[in-house]
């Protein structure tokens, strides 16, 4: 009987500890994950290019106030990336314990981001639900450029490539033909979007696609995995570097939370991806 009580007490303490970790400690944390990816085609003159990727900021979700966003921007600037990509979902809807943050206030903080090649963004499903024009209006006057099914040529010294933004798979047009339409056939291309489910529709000549949306599932249970991933491909596109027969994508687990303010073994992340040519 005493042993049984001790076991039950131990389980209770463990449950409380895990709950505190999952609902308070880990969602309030922040990691900087540095990844190196070899891609093709990619010019050797662009080897070493560093791309900071952030998604699912969900400003206003628990532990993700405007002051936290300020810290996030400072941490990203300290990494000194060449390029910053914001892969959508700036706002929240209905997250438990959250408080809506005005897009204009979010844009003002993000306007402090610094990168030699610029800061670019696409909208996520939550941004579309809030109102795409409201989001775009909020960022008017900032140096952040939205690439919604659009592209831009970027140059830094001898390094030259194209960046294509693809609108959200759920709510946007995600007109890939339009996004890539102005890019010369032989030019190296990086693409970014919110939802990774568009991956199989992206042509193979795109060197690497960046995405977010999944939050890495927010919860990753030992032996069980990620119970909920908002993707038709389940855990396949949940997080990190995906390489499928030469097609390459990187999915960042994001920063904020949606629906439930929980993260377990999937900490909020600034992803810093260093690109290099496969020929090296």
């Amino acid at each position: 009987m005493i042993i049984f009580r001790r076991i039950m007490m131990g389980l209770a303490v463990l449950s409380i500890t895990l709950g505190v970790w999952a609902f308070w400690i880990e969602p309030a944390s922040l990691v900087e994950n540095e990844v190196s990816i070899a891609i093709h085609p990619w010019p050797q003159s662009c080897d070493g290019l560093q791309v900071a990727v952030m998604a699912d900021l969900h400003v206003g979700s628990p532990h993700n106030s405007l002051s936290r966003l300020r810290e996030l921007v400072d941490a990203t600037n300290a990494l000194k990336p060449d390029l910053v990509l914001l892969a959508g979902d700036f706002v929240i809807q209905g997250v438990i314990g959250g408080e809506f943050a005005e897009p204009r206030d979010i844009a003002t903080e993000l306007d402090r981001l610094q990168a030699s090649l610029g800061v670019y963004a696409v909208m996520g499903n939550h941004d579309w639900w809030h109102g795409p024009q409201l989001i775009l209006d909020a960022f008017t006057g900032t140096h952040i450029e939205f690439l919604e099914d659009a592209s831009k040529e970027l140059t830094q010294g001898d390094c030259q490539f194209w960046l294509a933004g693809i609108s959200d798979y759920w709510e946007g047009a995600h007109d890939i033909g339009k996004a890539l339409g102005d890019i010369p056939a032989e030019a190296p291309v990086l693409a970014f979007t919110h939802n990774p489910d568009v991956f199989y529709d992206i042509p193979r000549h795109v060197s690497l696609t960046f995405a977010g949306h999944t939050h890495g599932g927010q919860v990753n249970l030992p032996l069980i995995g990620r119970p909920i991933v908002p993707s038709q491909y389940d855990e396949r596109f949940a997080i990190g570097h995906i390489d499928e027969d030469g097609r390459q994508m990187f999915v960042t687990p994001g920063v904020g939370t949606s629906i439930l303010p929980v993260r377990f073994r999937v900490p909020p992340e600034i992803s810093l991806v260093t690109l290099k040519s496969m020929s090296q």
Side-chain angles (χ1 to χ4, degrees), residues 19 56-57 106 108 125 135 143 158 160 192 216 231 234-235 248 257 267-268:
D56 308 289
L57 299 177
I106 297 171
T108 298
N125 54 292
I135 297 295
H143 73 293
D158 294 332
Q160 194 169 40
F192 76 119
S231 166
D234 298 319
E235 293 192 58
Q248 298 206 69
T257 55

Side-chain angles (χ1 to χ4, degrees), residues 35-170:
V35 180
S36 181
I37 301 178
I39 58 177
H40 177 80
W42 190 245
Q44 293 184 15
S45 58
C46 294
D47 277 358
L49 187 86
Q50 292 192 306
V51 184
V53 189
M54 290 183 289
D56 308 289
L57 299 177
H58 289 298
V59 182
S61 60
H63 312 292
N64 287 285
S65 62
L66 286 168
S67 60
R68 157 70 173 239
L69 180 59
R70 191 170 303 120
E71 295 171 1
L72 181 70
V73 169
D74 289 341
T76 304
N77 286 340
L79 294 173
K80 300 185 183 306
D82 298 294
L83 176 66
V84 174
L85 302 180
L86 303 173
D89 273 4
F90 301 97
V91 298
I92 61 170
Q93 282 96 16
V95 61
I96 294 174
E99 182 176 352
F100 185 79
E102 289 296 333
R104 184 60 193 172
D105 295 332
I106 297 171
T108 298
E109 287 298 333
L110 291 174
D111 194 31
R112 297 192 304 108
L113 285 167
Q114 300 172 4
S116 55
L117 283 171
V119 182
Y120 299 89
V122 292
M123 288 184 282
N125 54 292
H126 283 266
D127 305 317
W128 283 87
W129 293 340
H130 177 68
Q133 194 58 51
L134 293 175
I135 297 295
L136 294 176
D137 288 348
F139 280 84
T140 299
T142 71
H143 73 293
I144 298 169
E145 184 173 350
F146 277 76
L147 294 177
E148 294 286 322
D149 294 325
S151 62
K152 185 167 184 176
E153 186 177 24
L154 302 180
T155 302
Q156 182 169 263
D158 294 332
C159 173
Q160 194 169 40
F161 64 97
W162 285 75
L163 176 67
I166 299 169
S167 62
D168 182 54
Y169 183 74
W170 283 359

Side-chain angles (χ1 to χ4, degrees), residues 219-265:
V219 173
N220 182 16
L221 299 173
L223 303 179
I224 296 175
R226 307 169 199 272
I228 300 175
V229 178
S231 166
Q232 62 183 313
Y233 301 104
D234 298 319
E235 293 192 58
R236 184 182 300 179
F237 296 162
I239 189 171
H241 181 206
I242 293 102
D243 186 342
E244 293 199 358
D245 191 28
R247 291 177 181 265
Q248 298 206 69
M249 178 168 64
F250 181 85
V251 181
T252 181
V255 175
T257 55
S258 181
I259 304 177
L260 289 175
V262 59
R263 279 185 178 266
F264 182 69
R265 299 179 69 228

